[in-house]
């Protein structure tokens, strides 16, 4: 090459980046990395504190579970409706002080009448009913209307208001009796007219169970949906 200046020798100067520029690049990279880690950590914390609640709130809907609830108790089911309130005066003698539909045996007066040729049957039956808590009224022979005309076990006779109160209670003490009503006013006084098919009252334990089932029925279970 022709010129004023000429390079001689086998060593050439090396071009190096300034140290300050390298440090600046490394600082920028470190800052970006740190900011990325901070941002990632922040997202993780937000997810920890809010993610579960959102998942719960936005989770899949589940079907309502079917629960079993007992039916209303006897006292609730037996509360008189507004329509029957006007008839409460007729059945006042048939309900005890607690408002139960069936009077206790001690509130029922039973006239024990014998319509069979067997002597002493009315007295023996009345004595047994007294032991079981019933009040005893008249004891003797049946009237001509029923004397020797009752072929079955017995006839339980009472007022219309006693049809679903006192008469069913007395009916728990024997099997096969016929329930009838007449025009009497007092619902807690009933007649037990013994027929020719009568042998004896039910065993006391069986009668007690029948009475318990009548006055305190077990509540039935009904399926209700609960969420």
């Amino acid at each position: 090459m022709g010129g004023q200046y000429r390079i001689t020798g086998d060593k050439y100067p090396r071009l190096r980046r300034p140290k300050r520029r390298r440090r600046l690049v490394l600082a920028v990279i470190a800052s970006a990395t740190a900011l990325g880690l901070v941002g990632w950590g922040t997202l993780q914390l937000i997810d920890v504190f809010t993610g579960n609640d959102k998942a719960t709130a936005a989770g899949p809907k589940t079907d309502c579970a079917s629960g079993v609830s007992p039916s209303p108790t006897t006292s609730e089911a037996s509360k008189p409706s507004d329509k029957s309130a006007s008839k409460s005066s007729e059945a006042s003698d048939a309900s005890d002080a607690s408002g139960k539909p069936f009077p206790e045996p001690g509130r029922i007066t039973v006239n024990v009448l014998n319509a069979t040729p067997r002597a002493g049957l009315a007295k023996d039956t009345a004595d047994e009913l007294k032991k079981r808590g019933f009040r005893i009224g008249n004891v003797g022979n049946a009237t001509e209307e029923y004397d020797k005309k009752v072929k079955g076990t017995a006839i339980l006779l009472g007022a219309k208001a006693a049809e679903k109160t006192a008469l069913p209670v007395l009916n728990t003490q024997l099997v096969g009796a016929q329930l009838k009503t007449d025009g009497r006013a007092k619902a807690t006084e009933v007649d037990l007219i013994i027929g020719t098919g009568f042998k004896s009252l039910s065993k006391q334990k069986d009668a007690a169970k029948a009475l318990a089932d009548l006055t305190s029925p077990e509540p039935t279970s009904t399926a209700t949906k609960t969420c």
Side-chain angles (χ1 to χ4, degrees):
M1 296 178 63
Q4 185 176 0
Y5 300 99
R6 180 176 300 176
I7 299 173
T8 61
D10 57 355
K11 292 184 180 180
Y12 300 93
R14 295 182 179 179
L15 299 178
R16 296 180 180 179
R17 294 180 180 178
K19 293 184 179 181
R20 291 182 180 179
R21 182 175 298 178
R22 180 182 299 178
R23 291 177 180 176
L24 180 61
V25 171
L26 291 177
V28 171
I29 295 174
S31 298
T33 304
L35 289 175
L37 291 175
V38 171
W40 180 83
T42 302
L43 291 177
Q44 292 298 317
L45 290 175
I46 293 174
D47 184 63
V48 168
F49 287 104
T50 64
N52 291 335
D53 293 338
K54 292 180 180 179
T56 303
K61 294 183 179 179
T62 57
D63 295 334
C64 293
S66 295
V68 177
S69 61
S71 297
T73 58
T74 305
S75 59
E76 294 175 352
S78 62
K79 290 182 179 179
S81 62
D82 294 338
K83 294 181 180 179
S84 62
S86 61
K87 298 181 180 180
S88 60
S89 59
E90 297 178 5
S92 58
D93 289 336
S95 302
D96 59 19
S98 62
K100 295 180 181 179
F102 298 104
E104 298 176 355
R107 294 177 59 84
I108 301 174
T109 300
V110 183
N111 301 317
V112 185
L113 307 175
N114 186 6
T116 74
R118 289 180 286 173
L121 189 58
K123 184 180 183 305
D124 293 342
T125 303
D127 291 343
E128 182 61 28
L129 286 174
K130 187 175 181 180
K131 292 178 183 178
R132 299 183 184 187
F134 289 87
R135 296 169 61 181
I136 304 301
N138 297 327
V139 179
N141 294 326
T143 60
E144 185 178 353
E145 181 181 0
Y146 295 103
D147 190 26
K148 300 180 179 61
K149 298 177 184 177
V150 181
K151 305 300 181 182
T153 301
I155 291 177
L156 305 184
L157 184 64
K160 182 66 177 177
E163 186 176 11
K164 295 182 179 180
T165 54
L167 288 177
V169 172
L170 180 58
N171 194 38
T172 61
Q173 306 303 305
L174 67 166
V175 178
Q178 178 186 0
L179 275 63
K180 294 181 64 176
T181 60
D182 57 14
R184 74 183 70 188
K186 197 170 184 180
T188 55
E189 183 176 343
V190 296
D191 296 343
L192 168 57
I193 305 173
I194 301 173
T196 55
F198 179 86
K199 294 182 179 179
S200 64
L201 296 174
S202 300
K203 293 182 179 180
Q204 188 167 359
K205 64 177 182 178
D206 296 334
K209 183 180 183 304
L211 181 59
D213 292 342
L214 176 69
T215 57
S216 302
E218 294 182 359
T220 56
S221 297
T222 56
T224 57
K225 288 186 177 181
T226 57
C227 293

